[in-house]
Amino acid sequence: MFRASLIAIIFWLSPLMASSADSDRGARLYGRCTGCHSLDYDRTGPRHCGLIGRKAGAVPGFVYSSAMKNSSILWSVQTLDVFLQNPRAFMPGNRMPYAGIKNNQDRADLIAFLVAANDDPKQCAQP
Amino acid sequence: MTKKNASTFIPKFVDLSRRSMLSLGGKGILSAGAVALLSGSETLALVNPASADEMNEDVQFLNAALGAEQEAIAAYQVGAESGLLGKSALDLAVQFQGHHKEHATLLAKTVTQLGGKAVAPKMDYHFPVEKLKTEADVLGFAASLEKGAVSAYLGAVPLFTNRDLAQAAASILGDEAMHWAVLRSALGQNPVPSAFMS
């Protein structure tokens, strides 16, 4: 009984633990974001270069909602995973008009792409 | 063919007159607080600030969409003035830019009607002009913007508190998906590469 539920939990967690996040697939999924974002410059949404390890709402010169600016979130694989699943629930009052990505693998791949691009000199010219 | 002005094209379902709002009623349309704001009585809105917040969110979403439309208008302008487009590509660019202008007019008008302040276009946009050397480059750039816009509207549709606004966003999404397909076709690509957009 105990063993069965343990196995069930491991199965349930496995998509999150998957080390098989595919950043090339993530690059294509990033097409869902490029209506508003680019890696290296601000558009309707702020730039994503240097995102990992940055405080939320901290790109200089970009006008954020007060919810985003005043949040104490630090962007990491984990915080991005929760944010992107349901941005409104995670940070009420933020003004990113995006319902979220429900599929765990899609989120993992997309975040793997953001991590790979984060300080890649080809995609992110200046840090 | 007669030329109609933009307002003639504003679809019926985004009639934001007070009457149509009130008649829709119920949660998920415009809240009582929002309706009170529209009718100029702010007492109710103060009693029920959450409702005003909901409306405020819709306004913020509309403004984000408006910002993206303004970017598209500017991008088509760059394309049209590039001198790289032949007659038929130029005709497409001008027509599609016209659609984006109509979207922007509708969105700005809706923001104002909801008591918000429509964002102004940016002074300058960052476009990859150095990479635009041929007609195909320009069409490919336009296609990527249209695809991005479709994805953005798709992500926004579920969020609108006011279902009329969700429908209006879906209507714009359909138009921009057609642009994307036609541009891909002009580039010799499969115009509709998959059964679903994401």
Side-chain angles (χ1 to χ4, degrees):
Chain A
M1 180 64 191
F2 172 74
R3 211 151 127 231
S5 50
L6 196 67
I7 289 170
I9 287 175
I10 289 173
F11 263 97
W12 177 68
L13 282 176
S14 58
L16 289 173
M17 306 191 303
S19 56
S20 61
D22 176 351
S23 69
D24 290 339
R25 187 168 170 271
R28 290 195 299 280
L29 290 167
Y30 192 59
R32 296 184 191 177
C33 320
T34 52
C36 298
H37 290 281
S38 282
L39 286 172
D40 58 344
Y41 58 95
D42 300 340
R43 290 168 58 205
T44 305
R47 72 192 67 186
H48 281 151
C49 284
L51 180 70
I52 310 293
R54 189 163 66 208
K55 212 188 123 322
V59 170
F62 185 85
V63 184
Y64 289 94
S65 65
S66 41
M68 183 73 76
K69 208 170 47 211
N70 299 333
S71 90
S72 51
I73 301 296
L74 197 69
W75 292 124
S76 65
V77 171
Q78 287 77 21
T79 51
L80 281 172
D81 189 58
V82 197
F83 173 70
L84 292 175
Q85 183 165 15
N86 189 341
R88 324 243 13 95
F90 180 67
M91 194 189 287
N94 92 75
R95 62 175 180 81
M96 170 160 134
Y98 195 77
I101 301 175
K102 307 302 171 210
N103 182 291
N104 293 343
Q105 189 66 48
D106 285 357
R107 272 196 325 283
D109 292 350
L110 176 59
I111 294 167
F113 164 74
L114 289 171
V115 170
N118 202 47
D119 38 24
D120 168 14
K122 273 205 273 332
Q123 304 191 74
C124 292
Q126 60 299 54
Chain B
M1 217 185 101
T2 53
K3 243 190 142 23
K4 297 182 190 165
N5 69 29
S7 65
T8 332
F9 282 112
I10 292 178
K12 279 276 172 358
F13 49 70
V14 281
D15 172 14
L16 286 172
S17 71
R18 192 172 153 235
R19 187 144 129 274
S20 75
M21 299 262 197
L22 287 168
S23 65
L24 288 162
K27 165 91 183 147
I29 310 289
L30 266 196
S31 54
V35 174
L37 270 181
L38 288 167
S39 60
S41 143
E42 293 188 13
T43 352
L44 239 186
L46 289 174
V47 173
N48 192 356
S51 307
D53 276 359
E54 276 176 9
M55 187 186 64
N56 191 29
E57 283 197 344
D58 282 355
V59 164
Q60 291 193 329
F61 299 157
L62 290 168
N63 260 332
L66 176 57
E69 293 289 349
Q70 289 161 343
E71 187 187 59
I73 293 166
Y76 274 109
Q77 194 63 32
V78 168
E81 289 172 358
S82 67
L84 296 168
L85 299 184
K87 167 99 174 71
S88 60
L90 183 61
D91 287 350
L92 280 184
V94 170
Q95 191 199 4
F96 293 173
Q97 185 193 45
H99 291 178
H100 288 288
K101 285 180 176 167
E102 289 182 43
H103 302 162
T105 304
L106 171 64
L107 292 166
K109 193 178 158 204
T110 309
V111 166
T112 312
Q113 275 179 304
L114 289 172
K117 190 168 178 299
V119 290
K122 285 196 203 173
M123 287 313 210
D124 54 353
Y125 291 90
H126 185 299
F127 294 130
V129 274
E130 68 285 352
K131 291 191 196 131
L132 305 179
K133 299 205 171 71
T134 64
E135 178 175 289
D137 294 340
V138 176
L139 295 179
F141 169 53
S144 71
L145 283 177
E146 297 286 3
K147 166 65 175 63
V150 171
S151 296
Y153 279 105
L154 190 59
V157 164
L159 295 178
F160 283 107
T161 328
N162 180 332
R163 303 315 295 157
D164 288 355
L165 296 180
Q167 192 184 19
S171 163
I172 296 177
L173 184 162
D175 177 67
E176 297 184 356
M178 287 191 264
H179 294 176
W180 185 56
V182 168
L183 289 166
R184 285 181 61 92
S185 175
L187 283 163
Q189 299 166 347
N190 180 350
V192 188
S194 65
F196 298 97
M197 297 295 297
S198 66

